[in-house]
């Protein structure tokens, strides 16, 4: 069954893992390359609120821009043919395909890297939105990669609490938690994640 296409003007949790649970990232440069491709394919069509790259899976929280919010001149496609319509789902597919091609070439491997269809879940409430930001940033702790959130380098947590220039929607994220101090505090306490338990990727 084909997944429902991403709709403009809506918030989504995008996530997936390596095909049959295989690793997606083998060394530091892989994470950096994925983020470069993300900037190329996704930044023009979406606002990013949180992200986490784990060794064999990832989580991203995005807002898919309305068509009139997209600067078409910045769009990158996977082929030279300009598509008839701008598709957020296609742009994500372009990202994953480009990353797979790069990894296959670099490590002399063949075949799919990601599970067939990336998963997406509509974010339908402010409470869910806030819990999801915590869940994404807490993923390395949940999977016992680190003891604290701040220790893990491949999430947006460090960007939120920093002052460096970023395309991440830092101000809107902080506003969701009222201020940066409360953002940090809310990332140190336990949360009831019952409504997003189905998102946990082991």
């Amino acid at each position: 069954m084909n997944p429902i296409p991403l709709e403009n003007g809506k918030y989504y949790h995008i996530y997936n893992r390596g095909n049959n649970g295989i690793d997606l990232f083998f060394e530091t440069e892989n994470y950096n390359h994925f983020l470069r491709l993300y900037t190329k394919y996704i930044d023009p069509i979406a606002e990013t609120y949180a992200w986490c790259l784990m060794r064999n899976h990832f989580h991203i929280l995005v807002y898919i821009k309305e068509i009139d919010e997209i600067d078409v001149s910045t769009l990158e496609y996977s082929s030279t043919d300009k598509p008839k319509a701008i598709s957020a789902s296609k742009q994500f597919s372009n990202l994953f395909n480009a990353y797979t091609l790069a990894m296959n070439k670099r490590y002399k491997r063949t075949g799919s890297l990601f599970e067939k269809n990336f998963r997406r879940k509509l974010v339908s409430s402010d409470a869910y939105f806030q819990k999801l930001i915590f869940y994404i940033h807490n993923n390395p702790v949940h999977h016992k990669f680190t003891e604290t959130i701040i220790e893990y380098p491949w999430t947006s947590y460090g960007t939120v609490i920093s002052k460096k220039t970023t395309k991440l929607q830092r101000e809107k994220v902080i506003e969701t938690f009222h201020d940066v101090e409360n953002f940090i505090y809310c990332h140190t306490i336990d949360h009831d994640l019952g409504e997003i338990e189905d998102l946990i990727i082991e």
Side-chain angles (χ1 to χ4, degrees), residues 38 41-48 62-65 70 92 169:
Y38 186 91
Y41 289 110
I42 307 305
D43 276 359
I45 57 96
E47 293 178 350
T48 304
V62 294
Y63 164 77
I64 305 300
K65 296 177 183 178
I70 297 171
F92 273 99
Q169 298 299 307

Side-chain angles (χ1 to χ4, degrees), residues 14 34 41 45 73 94 99 125 129 138 149 163 181 190:
I14 308 289
F34 183 92
Y41 289 110
I45 57 96
S73 67
N94 289 341
Y99 183 75
S125 72
F129 184 86
N138 191 59
I149 291 172
K163 299 290 186 182
E181 289 78 15
D190 291 331

Side-chain angles (χ1 to χ4, degrees), residues 76-202:
E76 294 276 358
Y77 313 110
S78 59
S79 68
T80 55
D81 296 326
K82 183 178 178 180
K84 294 178 180 178
I86 299 170
S87 165
S89 297
K90 180 62 177 173
Q91 289 299 111
F92 273 99
S93 294
N94 289 341
L95 161 65
F96 304 138
N97 290 338
Y99 183 75
T100 297
L101 287 172
M103 293 301 99
N104 284 357
K105 182 177 180 181
R106 183 179 179 92
Y107 298 104
K108 296 179 172 58
R109 66 180 301 279
T110 59
S112 58
L113 183 64
F114 297 92
E115 288 196 344
K116 185 177 180 182
N117 294 314
F118 69 88
R119 287 176 267 183
R120 73 288 310 265
K121 187 163 184 179
L122 186 67
V123 179
S124 54
S125 72
D126 291 342
Y128 180 52
F129 184 86
Q130 189 185 76
K131 284 183 179 181
L132 195 52
I133 290 173
F134 167 79
Y135 171 75
I136 290 172
H137 289 153
N138 191 59
N139 221 242
V141 177
H142 170 76
H143 289 285
K144 297 180 171 52
F145 273 65
T146 57
E147 290 189 7
T148 61
I149 291 172
I150 191 63
E151 292 176 73
Y152 191 76
W154 304 110
T155 80
S156 51
Y157 179 85
T159 302
V160 175
I161 63 175
S162 77
K163 299 290 186 182
K164 65 183 179 182
T165 302
T166 179
K167 291 183 178 179
L168 186 82
Q169 298 299 307
R170 176 196 287 135
E171 297 306 318
K172 293 179 182 177
V173 170
I174 292 173
E175 191 178 300
T176 299
F177 291 85
H178 305 298
D179 54 44
V180 71
E181 289 78 15
N182 195 53
F183 170 85
I184 294 171
Y185 170 72
C186 286
H187 280 70
T188 64
I189 60 175
D190 291 331
H191 293 259
D192 177 12
L193 299 176
E195 65 179 311
I196 55 176
E197 276 185 348
D198 61 318
L199 305 179
I200 295 173
I201 298 178
E202 298 297 348

